[in-house]
Amino acid sequence: MNIAFACPKCDRTVQIELSDNTSQLACSHCGYILNAAAGAVEQGEVHRCRVCGGHDLFVRKDFSQRLGVTIVVIGFIASSVTWYFHLVAATFGILFATALIDVVLYLCVGNLLQCYACRSEYRGVADLEQHEPFDLEVHERHRQQAARLAESAKQSNAADKVI
């Protein structure tokens, strides 16, 4: 199993091969050492995030969302151009080809486990069925909490400057 996470110090993506007894995660870019949450991974199963210790994890496809949106946008633009020139068969051919590419990618690409809080990604995880798919309510809870913490830090920094 491996993990990809953003280094808290340099904010660059770090990818590390992970085992059950890994106690520290080291950034390969800046050398920052992060103490991994104990007991988060047992026998290849992830119970909570090794990076932040959070319990909220979800399963998603291991595919770049940007690439997926790019494929759809290219299909939309190409079909719009052919529609403008009244090439109905070509328009529907492009739309069906785009949908076919999407279905093939969906069937061929595997899954990964991702943390809501720190966005760490776990690949090669055993027993993904025990985790739920993405839940917008849980995501929004974590997003709102991060926004409140950032606002609180901003206010405390402003108060420190006044004093």
Side-chain angles (χ1 to χ4, degrees):
M1 161 184 356
N2 70 42
I3 179 174
F5 65 96
C7 174
K9 185 175 180 183
C10 68
D11 205 34
R12 294 177 69 183
T13 301
V14 180
Q15 193 162 358
I16 296 174
E17 200 60 38
L18 196 62
S19 66
D20 291 351
N21 57 3
T22 303
S23 62
Q24 293 183 329
L25 307 173
C27 177
S28 57
H29 306 289
C30 68
Y32 182 77
I33 303 291
L34 180 69
N35 290 325
V41 177
E42 294 173 352
Q43 299 171 350
E45 294 181 12
V46 179
H47 302 291
R48 58 190 188 129
C49 183
R50 290 295 290 246
V51 177
C52 69
H55 292 279
D56 292 327
L57 304 166
F58 66 96
V59 177
R60 73 171 184 88
K61 285 291 182 184
D62 190 6
F63 188 74
S64 168
Q65 292 176 337
R66 285 185 179 159
L67 180 58
V69 170
T70 300
I71 291 169
V72 170
V73 167
I74 289 171
F76 173 74
I77 290 171
S79 66
S80 296
V81 169
T82 57
W83 184 259
Y84 176 78
F85 290 111
H86 303 288
L87 302 170
V88 177
T91 300
F92 286 108
I94 291 169
L95 291 174
F96 288 131
T98 304
L100 180 65
I101 290 169
D102 186 47
V103 168
V104 168
L105 287 172
Y106 180 81
L107 294 174
C108 292
V109 173
N111 291 329
L112 65 82
L113 191 62
Q114 188 167 5
C115 177
Y116 282 102
C118 68
R119 318 273 312 155
S120 297
E121 298 176 345
Y122 297 84
R123 290 175 177 83
V125 176
D127 199 25
L128 279 176
E129 295 79 32
Q130 73 177 356
H131 298 283
E132 299 292 322
F134 180 79
D135 184 354
L136 187 58
E137 183 179 346
V138 177
H139 169 73
E140 187 63 20
R141 184 178 74 227
H142 284 278
R143 191 186 71 76
Q144 289 290 329
Q145 181 181 10
R148 283 192 300 273
L149 289 173
E151 183 64 29
S152 173
K154 192 169 132 181
Q155 288 177 353
S156 69
N157 286 341
D160 290 343
K161 288 181 183 179
V162 172
I163 296 175

